[in-house]
Amino acid sequence: MSVHYLEKTQILDFDDHRIQSLITKRNWQTLDDYNKIGAAYTFVKDEIQFGYNRSDDIAASEVLADGYGQCNTKGNLLMALLRALGIQCRFHGFTIDQQLQKGAIPAYIFWLAPKYIIHSWVEVLVNGEWIDLEGFILDEAYLSAIQSKFSQTKESFCGYGIATTCLAKPETEWTGKNTYIQKEGIHDDFGIYDSPDEFYAEQGTNLTGIKRWAYQNFIRYIINWNVQRLRGKNVSAEVQHA
């Protein structure tokens, strides 16, 4: 067992009382490893809604308090929960093409998005094998809404926070195997890191300067409003098919 894959960090603050209280309330510590992973994964996937926090490098406890997140922030929370449960996990950093976010980010503020956006997934050790966990990014309600709005598209799809070869049935449920929902949009592979803290110290976050200020103070609220709208209304914009 590598201690590095179980360590608490500034981002993976699993000793926070809110995280510990959640684990205790759900009795997750009584489960076997397979079901510990499944419980933490499903909670982050479906009970933490898809949405945009103030920054990628916020603490897991802040993501839990927000109640929403995207790939990087939901990953922070998932890693913290897994490590709190004694499950070894690590961080894999990438970039994804901005086209993947088209639709989730409204066209009139799409200029803010970098061409290649920092992305990550969580890798978890199961029976001596590292399993990729990426399918937790979109909650079931949001994913189902997009699937129903684009019901004629059964296979490759890129947009609205999705890049998959099978929109009708993406690999998002925990079954002990890899899960994906944005993998087909990956551009750069930065490799594996012990923690998100290590990655962001080296690579930075998506936005800097005035763009970061604008995003944190008002643009992300517009994006989150749009994501909520997509859960309940028809989508008229077109998407780019992978």
Side-chain angles (χ1 to χ4, degrees), residues 146 150 153 155-167 181 184 239-242:
I146 301 303
F150 294 94
T153 303
E155 297 182 352
S156 294
F157 184 93
C158 183
Y160 294 88
I162 300 166
T164 181
T165 56
C166 184
L167 179 63
I181 192 62
E184 301 308 312
V239 298
Q240 171 189 345
H241 295 280

Side-chain angles (χ1 to χ4, degrees), residues 13-92:
D13 61 339
F14 57 76
D15 60 344
D16 182 89
H17 69 93
R18 289 163 292 192
I19 292 175
Q20 290 296 321
S21 176
L22 172 66
I23 290 170
T24 300
K25 185 177 180 182
R26 303 289 179 109
N27 291 315
W28 289 343
Q29 67 270 39
T30 66
L31 302 173
D32 60 30
D33 285 356
Y34 177 90
N35 287 299
K36 283 179 178 176
I37 297 167
Y41 178 91
T42 303
F43 172 81
V44 171
K45 181 169 81 74
D46 292 331
E47 295 190 54
I48 303 298
Q49 290 191 335
F50 174 51
Y52 293 78
N53 315 87
R54 65 180 179 85
S55 186
D56 293 322
D57 56 353
I58 62 173
S61 59
E62 184 175 339
V63 183
L64 180 60
D66 282 350
Y68 59 85
Q70 34 81 346
C71 57
N72 301 315
T73 53
K74 289 181 79 167
N76 295 346
L77 179 56
L78 179 57
M79 288 188 70
L81 290 171
L82 291 171
R83 291 191 181 187
L85 293 166
I87 304 295
Q88 294 188 77
C89 58
R90 64 191 187 187
F91 179 103
H92 198 145

